[in-house]
Amino acid sequence: MTATVPIGEFSRLSYLSVKALRYYHEIELLEPAAVDPGTGYRFYSTDQVDQAHLIRRLRELNMPVPEIKAVLAAPDRAARDEALRAHLERMEAELTRTRDVVASLRTLLLPPASIPLAVEYRSVASHPALVLGETVGRDGIGDWCDTSFGTLYQGLARAEIEPAGPAGATYDMEFFEQENGEVMAYVPITPADRSRAAVVGRVLELPARRFAVAVHLGPFTEFDRTYGALGSHVAEHDTALAEPVREIYLAGPDDADESGYITEICWPIGRL
């Protein structure tokens, strides 16, 4: 058996303030069961208590109103649960990112490391690679790289080609200056595999370059510190070129140790 109660009583049942209930009515998120045409008083059904509790929890999880509406409008419980699961996964990813940033911030509170960054100088010959390039925003680089490298490796597998070395990516100046620039993911191949690789994707000859190289070992949130140390070293001792930085991925978070990523950052230089 259900009952109809005024907004004040429903506020007590739902743990939502009258102000919040009025707002949710205005945006058509939680509409009253009835509104008195003469007084404008709102009345709610006790059937709406569970819905109000769900809305309250989703708002506490910072779910956007349009997504809450989609959850409430789901045709069945399975569809509703799937929408909730997707939001929880996004929140868990955000919590992981927040924990990493907090850990990184704590390291900034520590005294500067007494061991200087190890910098290696390396001349790299030109070599062919299967590539994917696109203008990418800084916020979306992680997902873009995951998708792009998956596509590249799938293409090589279809062509029965073994990579000639670890995968990498190049980042042009605009990616750093504007937070939106050309990024090129690549997987090296041998010259003998060039024609077969061209069947499954774009093959490009990466130009020969001289680099100052440092290894980043740790979480993604610490990349800026390695960039800062290596870039400062180059500025103080060498001549930096306004050309794309190359990153070479020796290990990711799934196959590295508990330290996280192992990435070579290759800074283009004009001379020793």
Side-chain angles (χ1 to χ4, degrees), residues 1-20:
M1 178 179 177
T2 62
T4 301
V5 297
I7 189 171
E9 182 67 7
F10 191 74
S11 173
R12 185 159 57 175
L13 295 177
S14 63
Y15 242 74
L16 291 170
S17 69
V18 169
K19 180 180 178 181

PDB file of all heavy atoms in Angstrom, residues 1-20:
ATOM      1  N   MET A   1       0.840  -1.188   0.000  1.00  0.00           N
ATOM      2  CA  MET A   1       0.000   0.000   0.000  1.00  0.00           C
ATOM      3  C   MET A   1       0.884   1.250   0.000  1.00  0.00           C
ATOM      4  O   MET A   1       1.863   1.330   0.732  1.00  0.00           O
ATOM      5  CB  MET A   1      -0.902   0.033   1.239  1.00  0.00           C
ATOM      6  CG  MET A   1      -1.783   1.258   1.338  1.00  0.00           C
ATOM      7  SD  MET A   1      -2.813   1.191   2.815  1.00  0.00           S
ATOM      8  CE  MET A   1      -3.634   2.775   2.703  1.00  0.00           C
ATOM      9  N   THR A   2       0.552   2.183  -0.844  1.00  0.00           N
ATOM     10  CA  THR A   2       1.301   3.433  -0.910  1.00  0.00           C
ATOM     11  C   THR A   2       0.490   4.574  -0.330  1.00  0.00           C
ATOM     12  O   THR A   2      -0.734   4.488  -0.212  1.00  0.00           O
ATOM     13  CB  THR A   2       1.674   3.760  -2.364  1.00  0.00           C
ATOM     14  OG1 THR A   2       0.476   3.941  -3.124  1.00  0.00           O
ATOM     15  CG2 THR A   2       2.518   2.653  -2.975  1.00  0.00           C
ATOM     16  N   ALA A   3       1.193   5.638   0.007  1.00  0.00           N
ATOM     17  CA  ALA A   3       0.532   6.825   0.542  1.00  0.00           C
ATOM     18  C   ALA A   3       1.134   8.056  -0.126  1.00  0.00           C
ATOM     19  O   ALA A   3       2.241   8.020  -0.672  1.00  0.00           O
ATOM     20  CB  ALA A   3       0.720   6.897   2.054  1.00  0.00           C
ATOM     21  N   THR A   4       0.404   9.149  -0.076  1.00  0.00           N
ATOM     22  CA  THR A   4       0.877  10.426  -0.604  1.00  0.00           C
ATOM     23  C   THR A   4       1.143  11.370   0.557  1.00  0.00           C
ATOM     24  O   THR A   4       0.308  11.510   1.452  1.00  0.00           O
ATOM     25  CB  THR A   4      -0.158  11.048  -1.555  1.00  0.00           C
ATOM     26  OG1 THR A   4      -0.403  10.143  -2.639  1.00  0.00           O
ATOM     27  CG2 THR A   4       0.353  12.372  -2.115  1.00  0.00           C
ATOM     28  N   VAL A   5       2.331  12.001   0.525  1.00  0.00           N
ATOM     29  CA  VAL A   5       2.723  12.865   1.639  1.00  0.00           C
ATOM     30  C   VAL A   5       3.148  14.225   1.087  1.00  0.00           C
ATOM     31  O   VAL A   5       3.598  14.336  -0.056  1.00  0.00           O
ATOM     32  CB  VAL A   5       3.882  12.244   2.443  1.00  0.00           C
ATOM     33  CG1 VAL A   5       3.464  10.928   3.070  1.00  0.00           C
ATOM     34  CG2 VAL A   5       5.122  12.035   1.562  1.00  0.00           C
ATOM     35  N   PRO A   6       3.021  15.272   1.880  1.00  0.00           N
ATOM     36  CA  PRO A   6       3.468  16.596   1.438  1.00  0.00           C
ATOM     37  C   PRO A   6       4.982  16.657   1.362  1.00  0.00           C
ATOM     38  O   PRO A   6       5.699  15.805   1.892  1.00  0.00           O
ATOM     39  CB  PRO A   6       2.902  17.533   2.496  1.00  0.00           C
ATOM     40  CG  PRO A   6       2.738  16.687   3.710  1.00  0.00           C
ATOM     41  CD  PRO A   6       2.376  15.314   3.216  1.00  0.00           C
ATOM     42  N   ILE A   7       5.480  17.704   0.709  1.00  0.00           N
ATOM     43  CA  ILE A   7       6.911  17.804   0.426  1.00  0.00           C
ATOM     44  C   ILE A   7       7.759  17.814   1.695  1.00  0.00           C
ATOM     45  O   ILE A   7       8.846  17.234   1.724  1.00  0.00           O
ATOM     46  CB  ILE A   7       7.194  19.059  -0.440  1.00  0.00           C
ATOM     47  CG1 ILE A   7       8.646  19.053  -0.943  1.00  0.00           C
ATOM     48  CG2 ILE A   7       6.869  20.342   0.332  1.00  0.00           C
ATOM     49  CD1 ILE A   7       8.936  20.125  -1.970  1.00  0.00           C
ATOM     50  N   GLY A   8       7.253  18.445   2.784  1.00  0.00           N
ATOM     51  CA  GLY A   8       8.025  18.472   4.020  1.00  0.00           C
ATOM     52  C   GLY A   8       8.236  17.084   4.582  1.00  0.00           C
ATOM     53  O   GLY A   8       9.344  16.736   5.006  1.00  0.00           O
ATOM     54  N   GLU A   9       7.171  16.287   4.586  1.00  0.00           N
ATOM     55  CA  GLU A   9       7.282  14.921   5.082  1.00  0.00           C
ATOM     56  C   GLU A   9       8.158  14.080   4.161  1.00  0.00           C
ATOM     57  O   GLU A   9       8.956  13.258   4.622  1.00  0.00           O
ATOM     58  CB  GLU A   9       5.888  14.303   5.215  1.00  0.00           C
ATOM     59  CG  GLU A   9       5.872  12.881   5.762  1.00  0.00           C
ATOM     60  CD  GLU A   9       6.333  12.787   7.218  1.00  0.00           C
ATOM     61  OE1 GLU A   9       6.534  13.841   7.856  1.00  0.00           O
ATOM     62  OE2 GLU A   9       6.503  11.659   7.697  1.00  0.00           O
ATOM     63  N   PHE A  10       8.035  14.300   2.849  1.00  0.00           N
ATOM     64  CA  PHE A  10       8.856  13.534   1.901  1.00  0.00           C
ATOM     65  C   PHE A  10      10.331  13.904   2.060  1.00  0.00           C
ATOM     66  O   PHE A  10      11.204  13.064   1.875  1.00  0.00           O
ATOM     67  CB  PHE A  10       8.400  13.789   0.466  1.00  0.00           C
ATOM     68  CG  PHE A  10       9.014  12.842  -0.530  1.00  0.00           C
ATOM     69  CD1 PHE A  10       8.583  11.534  -0.602  1.00  0.00           C
ATOM     70  CD2 PHE A  10      10.034  13.268  -1.387  1.00  0.00           C
ATOM     71  CE1 PHE A  10       9.151  10.637  -1.514  1.00  0.00           C
ATOM     72  CE2 PHE A  10      10.601  12.396  -2.289  1.00  0.00           C
ATOM     73  CZ  PHE A  10      10.164  11.082  -2.363  1.00  0.00           C
ATOM     74  N   SER A  11      10.583  15.144   2.448  1.00  0.00           N
ATOM     75  CA  SER A  11      11.955  15.554   2.709  1.00  0.00           C
ATOM     76  C   SER A  11      12.551  14.719   3.835  1.00  0.00           C
ATOM     77  O   SER A  11      13.707  14.286   3.764  1.00  0.00           O
ATOM     78  CB  SER A  11      11.989  17.038   3.087  1.00  0.00           C
ATOM     79  OG  SER A  11      13.264  17.417   3.506  1.00  0.00           O
ATOM     80  N   ARG A  12      11.743  14.464   4.841  1.00  0.00           N
ATOM     81  CA  ARG A  12      12.215  13.655   5.955  1.00  0.00           C
ATOM     82  C   ARG A  12      12.395  12.201   5.540  1.00  0.00           C
ATOM     83  O   ARG A  12      13.351  11.538   5.959  1.00  0.00           O
ATOM     84  CB  ARG A  12      11.214  13.763   7.119  1.00  0.00           C
ATOM     85  CG  ARG A  12      11.676  13.045   8.360  1.00  0.00           C
ATOM     86  CD  ARG A  12      10.996  13.554   9.612  1.00  0.00           C
ATOM     87  NE  ARG A  12       9.536  13.461   9.558  1.00  0.00           N
ATOM     88  CZ  ARG A  12       8.743  13.769  10.583  1.00  0.00           C
ATOM     89  NH1 ARG A  12       9.289  14.179  11.729  1.00  0.00           N
ATOM     90  NH2 ARG A  12       7.428  13.686  10.478  1.00  0.00           N
ATOM     91  N   LEU A  13      11.505  11.701   4.683  1.00  0.00           N
ATOM     92  CA  LEU A  13      11.606  10.309   4.229  1.00  0.00           C
ATOM     93  C   LEU A  13      12.823  10.101   3.319  1.00  0.00           C
ATOM     94  O   LEU A  13      13.472   9.052   3.352  1.00  0.00           O
ATOM     95  CB  LEU A  13      10.341   9.910   3.464  1.00  0.00           C
ATOM     96  CG  LEU A  13       9.026   9.873   4.247  1.00  0.00           C
ATOM     97  CD1 LEU A  13       7.878   9.536   3.314  1.00  0.00           C
ATOM     98  CD2 LEU A  13       9.107   8.878   5.383  1.00  0.00           C
ATOM     99  N   SER A  14      13.091  11.082   2.495  1.00  0.00           N
ATOM    100  CA  SER A  14      14.116  10.915   1.465  1.00  0.00           C
ATOM    101  C   SER A  14      15.489  11.442   1.878  1.00  0.00           C
ATOM    102  O   SER A  14      16.488  11.149   1.221  1.00  0.00           O
ATOM    103  CB  SER A  14      13.693  11.645   0.187  1.00  0.00           C
ATOM    104  OG  SER A  14      13.585  13.045   0.424  1.00  0.00           O
ATOM    105  N   TYR A  15      15.526  12.241   2.959  1.00  0.00           N
ATOM    106  CA  TYR A  15      16.770  12.890   3.376  1.00  0.00           C
ATOM    107  C   TYR A  15      17.232  13.924   2.357  1.00  0.00           C
ATOM    108  O   TYR A  15      18.410  14.258   2.282  1.00  0.00           O
ATOM    109  CB  TYR A  15      17.877  11.860   3.622  1.00  0.00           C
ATOM    110  CG  TYR A  15      18.388  11.840   5.045  1.00  0.00           C
ATOM    111  CD1 TYR A  15      17.624  11.278   6.055  1.00  0.00           C
ATOM    112  CD2 TYR A  15      19.625  12.381   5.362  1.00  0.00           C
ATOM    113  CE1 TYR A  15      18.084  11.255   7.365  1.00  0.00           C
ATOM    114  CE2 TYR A  15      20.096  12.361   6.667  1.00  0.00           C
ATOM    115  CZ  TYR A  15      19.307  11.792   7.665  1.00  0.00           C
ATOM    116  OH  TYR A  15      19.780  11.785   8.965  1.00  0.00           O
ATOM    117  N   LEU A  16      16.307  14.432   1.549  1.00  0.00           N
ATOM    118  CA  LEU A  16      16.572  15.512   0.609  1.00  0.00           C
ATOM    119  C   LEU A  16      15.875  16.770   1.115  1.00  0.00           C
ATOM    120  O   LEU A  16      14.723  16.699   1.544  1.00  0.00           O
ATOM    121  CB  LEU A  16      16.058  15.159  -0.791  1.00  0.00           C
ATOM    122  CG  LEU A  16      16.792  14.044  -1.544  1.00  0.00           C
ATOM    123  CD1 LEU A  16      16.014  13.664  -2.794  1.00  0.00           C
ATOM    124  CD2 LEU A  16      18.211  14.468  -1.891  1.00  0.00           C
ATOM    125  N   SER A  17      16.556  17.880   1.041  1.00  0.00           N
ATOM    126  CA  SER A  17      15.951  19.109   1.520  1.00  0.00           C
ATOM    127  C   SER A  17      14.790  19.524   0.627  1.00  0.00           C
ATOM    128  O   SER A  17      14.687  19.098  -0.538  1.00  0.00           O
ATOM    129  CB  SER A  17      16.992  20.226   1.561  1.00  0.00           C
ATOM    130  OG  SER A  17      17.361  20.601   0.236  1.00  0.00           O
ATOM    131  N   VAL A  18      13.898  20.353   1.162  1.00  0.00           N
ATOM    132  CA  VAL A  18      12.793  20.880   0.359  1.00  0.00           C
ATOM    133  C   VAL A  18      13.340  21.666  -0.822  1.00  0.00           C
ATOM    134  O   VAL A  18      12.821  21.582  -1.937  1.00  0.00           O
ATOM    135  CB  VAL A  18      11.878  21.765   1.235  1.00  0.00           C
ATOM    136  CG1 VAL A  18      10.892  22.543   0.367  1.00  0.00           C
ATOM    137  CG2 VAL A  18      11.133  20.914   2.265  1.00  0.00           C
ATOM    138  N   LYS A  19      14.420  22.416  -0.591  1.00  0.00           N
ATOM    139  CA  LYS A  19      15.049  23.169  -1.680  1.00  0.00           C
ATOM    140  C   LYS A  19      15.516  22.240  -2.790  1.00  0.00           C
ATOM    141  O   LYS A  19      15.306  22.515  -3.986  1.00  0.00           O
ATOM    142  CB  LYS A  19      16.229  23.972  -1.136  1.00  0.00           C
ATOM    143  CG  LYS A  19      16.949  24.799  -2.184  1.00  0.00           C
ATOM    144  CD  LYS A  19      18.111  25.567  -1.572  1.00  0.00           C
ATOM    145  CE  LYS A  19      18.861  26.367  -2.632  1.00  0.00           C
ATOM    146  NZ  LYS A  19      20.017  27.106  -2.047  1.00  0.00           N
ATOM    147  N   ALA A  20      16.142  21.112  -2.414  1.00  0.00           N
ATOM    148  CA  ALA A  20      16.612  20.161  -3.413  1.00  0.00           C
ATOM    149  C   ALA A  20      15.437  19.529  -4.158  1.00  0.00           C
ATOM    150  O   ALA A  20      15.481  19.365  -5.379  1.00  0.00           O
ATOM    151  CB  ALA A  20      17.454  19.074  -2.745  1.00  0.00           C
TER     152      ALA A  20
END
